[in-house]
């Protein structure tokens, strides 16, 4: 598994991190050139490669976590606990939204330097300037719903490379 992951995701080496964000608690990142694709009858601009992470993850610099998966569930610094209930899934409400926006603004020229993996589907993406993205599967579930992360090329529109509790799948 380790070598297959490194071979597939290794296509990112040398490419720029274009953007990062979320859909609910799915962390998405775009790498490579900005391309135009047709999606649902509309032309969209998007990064060539996509990485979608649904397991635990973190971005760190040296010995400090910059932003991580649990930040989805913590309020942003602007949240007022006296006047409102915290709804983590509302865009802009949580610490992730706040920290990823700052991270991307402050580090707009990061590129992928290296890729590593482990035997259970963990992924390390080493970025320029010393940053590191780590995805680490943290569930023993092994059914068809146990997706940890996926990687795909939007330009080629080929099969997605998916790491699950059952190993690697390509759909």
């Amino acid at each position: 598994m380790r070598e297959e992951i490194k071979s597939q995701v290794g296509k990112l080496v040398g490419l720029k991190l274009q953007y990062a964000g979320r859909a609910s608690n799915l962390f998405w990142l775009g790498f490579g050139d900005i391309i135009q694709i047709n999606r649902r009858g509309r032309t969209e601009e998007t990064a060539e490669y996509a990485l979608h992470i649904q397991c635990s993850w973190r971005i760190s610099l040296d010995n400090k976590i910059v932003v991580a998966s649990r930040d989805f569930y913590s309020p942003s610094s602007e949240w007022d606990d006296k006047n409102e209930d915290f709804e983590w899934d509302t865009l802009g409400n949580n610490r992730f939204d706040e920290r990823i926006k700052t991270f991307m603004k402050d580090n707009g020229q990061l590129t992928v330097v290296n890729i590593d993996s482990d035997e259970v589907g963990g992924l390390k993406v080493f970025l320029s300037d010393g940053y590191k993205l780590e995805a680490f599967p943290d569930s023993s579930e092994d059914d068809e719903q146990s997706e940890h992360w996926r990687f795909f090329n939007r330009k080629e529109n080929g099969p997605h490379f998916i790491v699950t509790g059952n190993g690697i799948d390509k759909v």
Side-chain angles (χ1 to χ4, degrees):
M1 178 182 277
R2 180 179 188 177
E3 293 307 315
E4 191 171 0
I5 289 171
K6 287 170 62 175
S7 173
Q8 287 294 315
V9 185
K11 297 169 185 171
L12 294 180
V13 173
L15 300 182
K16 179 182 175 191
L17 171 61
Q18 294 284 358
Y19 50 72
R22 70 178 177 95
S24 189
N25 64 353
L26 180 147
F27 179 36
W28 45 257
L29 304 99
F31 297 89
D33 293 334
I34 297 295
I35 60 167
Q36 290 189 347
I37 62 167
N38 288 315
R39 184 172 177 207
R40 297 183 184 141
R42 293 189 345 236
T43 300
E44 293 182 9
E45 287 193 344
T46 187
E48 182 175 357
Y49 289 95
L51 178 62
H52 291 180
I53 303 173
Q54 291 184 278
C55 62
S56 292
W57 59 269
R58 68 178 166 237
I59 296 175
S60 61
L61 177 64
D62 300 323
N63 63 348
K64 174 92 172 122
I65 295 173
V66 177
V67 61
S69 51
R70 296 244 342 197
D71 290 339
F72 291 140
Y73 310 108
S74 296
S76 74
S77 63
E78 296 180 6
W79 180 67
D80 180 1
D81 64 343
K82 294 180 178 125
N83 296 324
E84 56 188 89
D85 292 328
F86 174 59
E87 294 183 24
W88 72 269
D89 203 20
T90 302
L91 282 176
N93 268 12
N94 66 46
R95 183 176 301 170
F96 167 84
D97 296 335
E98 183 175 53
R99 296 194 61 98
I100 201 70
K101 181 178 179 182
T102 300
F103 172 76
M104 292 304 298
K105 184 177 134 229
D106 292 349
N107 298 287
Q109 296 299 315
L110 294 178
T111 58
V112 177
V113 175
N114 198 11
I115 300 292
D116 200 2
S117 183
D118 62 31
E119 294 76 19
V120 293
L123 175 66
K124 291 181 183 178
V125 179
F126 296 90
L127 301 167
S128 54
D129 297 342
Y131 288 97
K132 179 172 49 177
L133 165 65
E134 296 174 276
F136 33 99
D138 60 348
S139 171
S140 61
E141 293 179 24
D142 59 1
D143 60 17
E144 63 274 358
Q145 304 300 317
S146 67
E147 180 175 323
H148 300 306
W149 58 268
R150 72 173 54 208
F151 174 70
F152 55 100
N153 181 317
R154 292 178 186 254
K155 185 176 183 179
E156 295 175 0
N157 201 24
H160 292 202
F161 180 85
I162 305 170
V163 174
T164 73
N166 282 327
I168 294 171
D169 198 3
K170 295 177 184 171
V171 294

